Amino acid sequence: MKLMGKDITPAKVMAFVGERLAARGLSSPGDTELTPEGVEGRVDPLSFNLRALEENADATQGLPLETHRDGLSGRAVVIAKRVFRQAGQIFINEALGRQRAFNGHVRDSYAQLAAEVIRLRQRVAELEQQKVVVAPAPVATPPPLAPPPNVESKPKATAPLAPTVKKPVLKAKKPSRPVPAPPSAPRPPTRRGK
């Protein structure tokens, strides 16, 4: 079997996998057909993030009510959460009003930045197609300024440079043997209270 790129196609691979699954009784041969409708298109991250910001911009809107409980107790918990949310919606709106406005500004700013990125990508693509190499323009230097006519120009005297002298680096000597500590003075006797 040759493993060349032109010999292996998605349709052939899916047909082979479908045959193997059918032989084991796990699926029918018609279930494994690859259809273009089943494949999702490429997602543009800029538009995806903008849509997500639009959906979640309003902080006063609650998330869907859920519980991990089953049966009647689960339904009772969901009903209690719904009643609590409806009763406290006024306070929720008041507490999260500024966050809602901020989220709107973030969404609008992101939309502007995304539009600018798209515009710059198009411009870069245009420039890459042109492939024009632009040489940098020569920089013109201004002529030197002349001294005013009233002032006499005298050449400045410069001092001769002093010769540099390297200083030798001195290393500290290590003691050959440890130096004993000086003896401590004896302590005076202390009196104990009566």
Side-chain angles (χ1 to χ4, degrees):
M1 176 178 179
K2 291 191 269 180
L3 294 176
M4 302 296 285
K6 61 184 178 184
D7 295 333
I8 299 173
T9 63
K12 287 182 182 178
V13 171
M14 291 304 292
F16 177 74
V17 170
E19 290 172 7
R20 295 291 300 246
L21 289 174
R24 294 183 181 181
L26 297 174
S27 70
S28 62
D31 292 343
T32 59
E33 291 183 22
L34 183 65
T35 59
E37 295 86 26
V39 178
E40 292 184 16
R42 184 174 178 265
V43 177
D44 180 32
L46 296 174
S47 61
F48 176 79
N49 289 337
L50 182 60
R51 193 171 339 129
L53 282 172
E54 288 173 354
E55 291 171 1
N56 298 314
D58 190 3
T60 60
Q61 294 290 328
L63 295 173
L65 297 174
E66 297 177 344
T67 183
H68 65 279
R69 296 178 177 88
D70 293 331
L72 282 176
S73 62
R75 291 182 194 156
V77 168
V78 170
I79 291 171
K81 286 181 178 181
R82 185 174 292 126
V83 168
F84 178 76
R85 184 180 285 174
Q86 288 174 353
Q89 191 65 42
I90 296 170
F91 302 111
I92 292 170
N93 291 345
E94 183 66 28
L96 297 178
R98 187 173 295 273
Q99 183 66 44
R100 181 179 181 186
F102 176 78
N103 291 350
H105 293 304
V106 168
R107 180 194 60 223
D108 295 342
S109 299
Y110 185 85
Q112 290 175 350
L113 290 174
E116 184 67 16
V117 166
I118 291 170
R119 186 188 69 77
L120 290 174
R121 284 180 182 170
Q122 290 172 348
R123 180 70 178 137
V124 166
E126 290 171 4
L127 291 175
E128 285 178 347
Q129 287 177 354
Q130 291 176 359
K131 292 194 178 191
V132 174
V133 178
V134 178
V139 179
T141 56
L145 297 176
N150 306 13
V151 180
E152 295 179 18
S153 59
K154 295 181 182 177
K156 294 182 180 179
T158 57
L161 295 176
T164 57
V165 178
K166 287 189 174 182
K167 295 181 180 178
V169 179
L170 299 176
K171 294 183 180 179
K173 292 184 178 180
K174 294 182 181 178
S176 58
R177 59 180 183 209
V179 178
S184 61
R187 290 188 190 174
T190 58
R191 284 187 167 183
R192 294 196 182 211
K194 293 182 182 177

